[in-house]
Amino acid sequence: MYPLFVCEGSGVRRAISSMPGVYQLSVDETVKEALAAHADGVPAVLLFGLPEHKDAVGSAASAPEAPVQSAVRALKRALPELVVVTDVCLCEYTSHGHCGILEGEDIVNDVTVAHLVQVAVSHAAAGADFVAPSDMMDGRVAAIRRGLDEHGFERVGIMSYAAKYCSAFYGPFRDAADSAPQFGDRRSHQMDPANIEEALREVEPT
């Protein structure tokens, strides 16, 4: 699966300094990149969206003409057999860079989940084969499944990000998606890798 960062515009191929060889691509360039990758045997792409304008609630995430939705339609027209997976999160779309909608400096879980459902449904409507929620909100997978089913997208799958850890390795991704938090961090809703050893001790038989 080939991750692609889709931005607005035409003919855009913008280098990401922290990831040499990786680019922010407009929809037309995304299609070219996906076609070349598919010719080399890559059967699927994972799309991340980079809107031109951001706001406090990430409203562009569910817009029908946003970069991801536009890229899904273009890819399915150009290469119907390509498996298209879309990232479902708000961090790329919010002006504050957090994964959810805020009340003060706290993420409001249920309001965020409702918006994530709208995002997932908009991706499915554009033709996505799978949606991939990476936001870490509680209950969002079940809510997205219900939302997809209620809108007639029973065959659209949900790809698991089984676990996400709080890590400096996210730095290049935040550069690529322009999604670094404007205050605080995501430690309150990402797993601490230091806890792995302790968790394993708890489940190992004695």
Side-chain angles (χ1 to χ4, degrees), residues 48-188:
F48 297 86
L50 307 172
E52 188 172 336
H53 301 290
K54 304 186 180 195
D55 59 30
V57 298
S59 57
S62 58
E65 301 303 321
V68 165
Q69 290 85 335
S70 298
V72 171
R73 290 191 296 271
L75 288 167
K76 283 300 183 180
R77 284 195 300 268
L79 194 62
E81 64 270 31
L82 181 72
V83 177
V84 179
V85 185
T86 59
D87 180 74
V88 176
C89 192
L90 300 184
C91 64
E92 303 105 306
Y93 300 90
T94 55
S95 53
H96 46 74
H98 284 283
C99 299
I101 296 170
L102 299 179
E103 188 174 279
E105 293 191 357
D106 296 321
I107 293 176
V108 185
N109 189 86
D110 292 355
V111 175
T112 298
V113 168
H115 191 189
L116 293 169
V117 171
Q118 295 175 351
V119 175
V121 169
S122 74
H123 291 177
D129 298 294
F130 291 84
V131 295
S134 64
D135 54 278
M136 302 161 289
M137 298 298 111
D138 293 337
R140 89 277 205 215
V141 172
I144 289 171
R145 182 72 272 158
R146 285 193 301 272
L148 290 171
D149 292 353
E150 288 169 0
H151 287 82
F153 299 118
E154 296 91 346
R155 296 178 66 86
V156 173
I158 300 176
M159 189 187 84
S160 171
Y161 278 81
K164 292 184 70 177
Y165 296 100
C166 187
S167 169
F169 286 118
Y170 280 109
F173 168 80
R174 290 169 183 163
D175 288 343
D178 189 24
S179 64
Q182 298 302 302
F183 63 88
D185 55 39
R186 297 174 185 152
R187 294 178 184 274
S188 65

Side-chain angles (χ1 to χ4, degrees), residues 27-39:
V27 170
D28 56 326
E29 292 293 326
T30 297
V31 171
K32 291 178 186 177
E33 193 77 8
L35 287 171
H38 192 266

Side-chain angles (χ1 to χ4, degrees), residues 7-20:
C7 63
E8 298 189 26
S10 178
V12 177
R13 190 176 181 88
R14 186 181 302 123
I16 300 166
S17 61
S18 57
M19 288 196 285

